[in-house]
């Protein structure tokens, strides 16, 4: 026999023209007789990185639990037992007609469906697995899915040897011709998730609140204090940790944009161009969105296909895509190794942040599956086989991490079939898949 929860899962804090969502608290779960635990929801996140990976410094030695970290994967040491390394999975639908490997493979990254080669508006690929998941479980949360990224990119035209820009700029597809745009502004993403403003607030009131440097936490403080009196010890701790995380992120977003006390007419703030700060903010947004149960499905693009980012802070002067066409030059190998290592460090940061959030009898990472990959393996050869794949978390006990699992000539779509099944979506086919992927549960 169960009792009604103390709070609705859609409870919002209100004050000074602002509405703020709450984290998932114990008081939002129905009580179950005999103290039976209520399982935490499962979450799925995707971390996409462009231009492939320098595989010799990626692939671990050993298989099973006896695998060793490589230089590229070194930052995963604190979460090594939470990570699966999957080798030997192929995404052959990512092969283009002629040239255009990066855009074609990026469009197939989560769909495993070959894209129609076109520069026009008649784009066509397949629905991505994250959107299949969002349609199945998204009704339980405020946002069915969340799409984030670093680079906006062109919306139309040719972005890769005859492939239209939407193919290069999106991994989430709601349908064959419907890419789901990503949010690339940390400020806009933050306010969408945590600081929805009361529709009755006037622009003057909003300007005044920002001019005085008042945070969303300040705006809802009175309502928060009233709520705390109704919560148990565990929920009060969770609420305090959540407020701390939101406030720290808000301060970083403000610092990025030069926000703060101002007077008179000012130009709209501009997001930082520092990819380090921007990426960290996006990782924190994912953690808080999951912690708040605002969504259970999120995709993140560290760059668009054929990324031309220059990683000057790594001591590099060339563009990422140019380095990926290494022509077997050692200097290019060395540059790629630096970029790849930094990319995995951002993924490791996300995992450690999730591992630090206690939830029920485990952590946020325990209840999640966090997927990392690129559209190709070697960027010079444009390899669509043996892709670089990491899968972290335990998905509520459905995954058995801490291992390197070796496959051979297996469709990547099989992994997506298994993940959808783990999340309660009873599919038997997807893309070019042949069935569920074995070996994920040990």
């Amino acid at each position: 026999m169960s009792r009604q929860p103390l709070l609705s899962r859609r409870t919002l804090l209100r004050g000074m023209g602002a509405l703020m969502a709450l984290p998932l608290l114990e008081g939002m779960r129905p009580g179950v007789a005999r103290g039976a635990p209520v399982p935490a929801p499962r979450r799925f996140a995707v971390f996409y990185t462009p231009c492939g990976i320098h595989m010799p410094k990626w692939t671990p030695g050993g298989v099973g639990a006896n695998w060793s970290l490589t230089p590229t994967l070194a930052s995963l040491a604190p979460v090594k037992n939470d990570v699966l390394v999957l080798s030997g999975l192929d995404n052959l639908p990512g092969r283009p007609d002629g040239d255009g490997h990066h855009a074609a493979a990026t469009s197939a990254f989560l769909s495993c469906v070959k894209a129609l080669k076109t520069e026009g508006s008649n784009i066509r690929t397949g629905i991505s697995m994250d959107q299949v998941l969002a349609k199945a479980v998204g009704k339980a949360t405020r946002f069915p899915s969340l799409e984030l990224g670093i680079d906006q990119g062109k919306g139309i035209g040719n972005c890769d040897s005859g492939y239209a820009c939407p193919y290069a700029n999106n991994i989430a597809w709601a349908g064959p011709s419907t890419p789901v745009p990503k949010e690339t502004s940390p400020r806009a993403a933050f306010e969408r998730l945590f600081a929805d403003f009361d529709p009755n607030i006037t622009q003057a009131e909003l300007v005044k609140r920002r001019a005085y440097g008042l945070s969303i936490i300040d705006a809802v403080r009175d309502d928060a204090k009233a709520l705390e009196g109704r919560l148990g010890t565990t929920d009060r701790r969770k609420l305090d940790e959540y407020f701390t995380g939101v406030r720290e992120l808000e301060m970083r977003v403000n610092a990025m944009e030069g926000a703060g006390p101002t007077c008179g007419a000012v130009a709209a703030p501009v997001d930082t161009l520092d990819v380090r700060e921007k990426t960290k903010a996006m990782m924190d947004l994912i953690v808080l969105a999951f912690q708040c149960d605002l969504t259970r499905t999120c995709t993140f693009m560290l760059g668009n296909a054929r990324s031309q980012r220059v990683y000057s802070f790594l001591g590099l002067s060339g563009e990422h895509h140019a380095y990926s066409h290494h022509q077997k030059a050692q200097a290019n190998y060395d540059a790629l190794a630096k970029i790849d290592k930094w990319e995995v460090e951002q993924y490791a940061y996300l995992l450690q942040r999730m591992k630090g959030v206690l939830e029920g009898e485990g952590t946020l990472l325990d209840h999640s599956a966090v997927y990392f990959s690129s559209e190709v393996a070697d960027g010079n050869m444009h390899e669509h086989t043996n892709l670089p794949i990491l899968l972290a978390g335990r998905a509520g006990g459905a995954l058995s991490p801490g291992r390197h699992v070796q496959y051979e000539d297996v469709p990547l779509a099989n992994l997506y079939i298994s993940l959808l099944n783990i999340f309660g979506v009873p599919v038997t086919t997807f893309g070019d898949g042949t069935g569920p992927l074995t070996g994920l549960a040990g």
Side-chain angles (χ1 to χ4, degrees):
M1 181 177 180
S2 64
R3 59 172 171 78
Q4 289 297 107
L6 174 67
L7 300 170
S8 166
R9 295 176 68 172
R10 299 185 184 275
T11 299
L12 297 173
L13 296 179
R14 302 169 184 270
M16 294 184 66
L19 307 174
M20 183 180 180
L22 286 170
L24 184 60
L25 302 172
E26 297 298 321
M28 295 175 177
R29 301 182 183 184
V32 181
R34 304 181 187 276
V38 178
R42 293 174 175 176
R43 287 81 162 207
F44 178 64
V46 176
F47 190 115
Y48 163 91
T49 186
C51 299
I53 294 287
H54 182 47
M55 298 300 288
K57 291 195 174 182
W58 166 279
T59 307
V63 294
N66 297 317
W67 65 283
S68 56
L69 291 166
T70 59
T72 297
L73 302 179
S75 60
L76 295 174
V79 289
K80 182 172 182 281
N81 291 331
D82 298 291
V83 176
L84 278 166
V85 182
L86 306 179
S87 298
L89 299 183
D90 310 334
N91 194 7
L92 301 185
R95 290 175 172 169
D97 292 324
D99 292 329
H101 287 266
H102 293 285
T106 299
S107 71
F109 181 73
L110 290 176
S111 70
C112 300
V113 172
K114 188 178 179 67
L116 172 69
K117 187 166 188 175
T118 178
E119 299 178 18
S121 60
N122 58 325
I123 53 175
R124 189 178 72 246
T125 180
I127 184 172
S128 54
M129 64 83 62
D130 64 297
Q131 292 303 300
V132 174
L133 179 59
K135 289 181 179 180
V137 305
K139 292 180 181 179
T141 56
R142 186 177 176 194
F143 300 101
S145 63
L146 178 65
E147 293 74 35
L148 301 173
I150 298 300
D151 303 320
Q152 191 66 44
K154 292 166 52 181
I156 58 174
N158 171 24
C159 275
D160 187 6
S161 302
Y163 280 87
C165 293
Y167 293 140
N169 300 340
N170 300 279
I171 57 174
W173 290 76
S177 302
T178 312
V180 184
K182 60 185 181 293
E183 178 56 69
T184 59
S185 162
R187 162 62 66 188
F190 177 88
E191 294 192 344
R192 178 186 175 203
L193 290 172
F194 305 109
D196 280 353
F197 296 109
D198 188 325
N200 295 320
I201 190 174
T202 67
Q203 184 63 28
E205 290 172 317
L206 178 57
V207 170
K208 181 179 179 180
R209 203 189 85 188
R210 286 184 171 172
Y212 280 94
L214 297 177
S215 75
I216 181 64
I217 305 296
D218 297 324
V220 300
R221 190 173 300 281
D222 289 344
D223 206 16
K225 286 183 178 179
L227 173 66
E228 285 178 344
R230 303 167 58 193
L231 301 178
T233 301
T234 299
D235 278 347
R236 287 199 297 271
R237 174 186 57 78
K238 283 187 176 182
L239 194 62
D240 181 64
E241 291 175 350
Y242 174 66
F243 282 167
T244 298
V246 171
R247 180 57 180 144
E248 289 177 351
L249 178 58
E250 185 177 26
M251 290 173 67
R252 289 213 315 275
V253 169
N254 286 341
M256 284 182 207
E257 300 180 341
T262 59
C263 58
V266 295
V270 178
D271 279 320
T272 179
L273 296 178
D274 190 329
V275 67
R276 294 167 293 181
E277 287 298 315
K278 196 171 183 180
T279 301
K280 187 177 181 181
M282 291 300 192
M283 297 300 97
D284 289 341
L285 281 165
I286 293 171
V287 174
L288 289 169
F290 282 165
Q291 183 181 357
C292 197
D293 204 30
L294 290 173
T295 189
R296 296 176 185 172
T297 305
C298 180
T299 57
F300 169 76
M301 295 185 72
L302 186 57
N304 296 332
R306 289 174 57 95
S307 173
Q308 297 178 358
R309 176 167 290 112
V310 176
Y311 287 91
S312 56
F313 61 88
L314 297 177
L316 303 176
S317 58
E319 297 175 353
H320 189 183
H321 179 242
Y323 283 131
S324 74
H325 286 271
H326 50 73
Q327 300 296 313
K328 299 183 179 180
Q330 188 60 49
N332 291 335
Y333 284 155
D334 294 342
L336 288 172
K338 288 182 179 181
I339 295 171
D340 297 343
K341 183 175 182 290
W342 182 82
E343 291 170 335
V344 176
E345 286 171 355
Q346 310 319 299
Y347 176 71
Y349 172 80
L350 172 62
L351 300 185
Q352 290 181 74
R353 287 278 288 110
M354 294 177 70
K355 192 176 178 69
V357 176
L358 299 179
E359 186 178 61
E361 298 181 350
T363 69
L364 183 59
L365 183 58
D366 290 332
H367 304 138
S368 303
V370 187
Y371 174 59
F372 175 106
S373 191
S374 188
E375 79 275 17
V376 293
D378 180 83
N380 189 58
M381 299 299 293
H382 295 135
E383 293 171 337
H384 302 272
T385 59
N386 190 27
L387 295 168
I389 294 174
L390 302 173
L391 185 64
R394 287 172 169 77
L399 299 174
S400 179
R403 297 176 297 128
H404 174 208
V405 185
Q406 179 71 57
Y407 301 94
E408 186 175 357
D409 301 328
V410 174
L412 174 62
N414 288 10
L415 171 61
Y416 297 158
I417 292 172
S418 290
L419 286 171
L420 288 168
N421 290 170
I422 285 170
F423 282 84
V425 186
V427 299
T428 56
T429 62
F430 183 82
D432 67 333
T434 57
L437 186 66
T438 60
L440 297 178

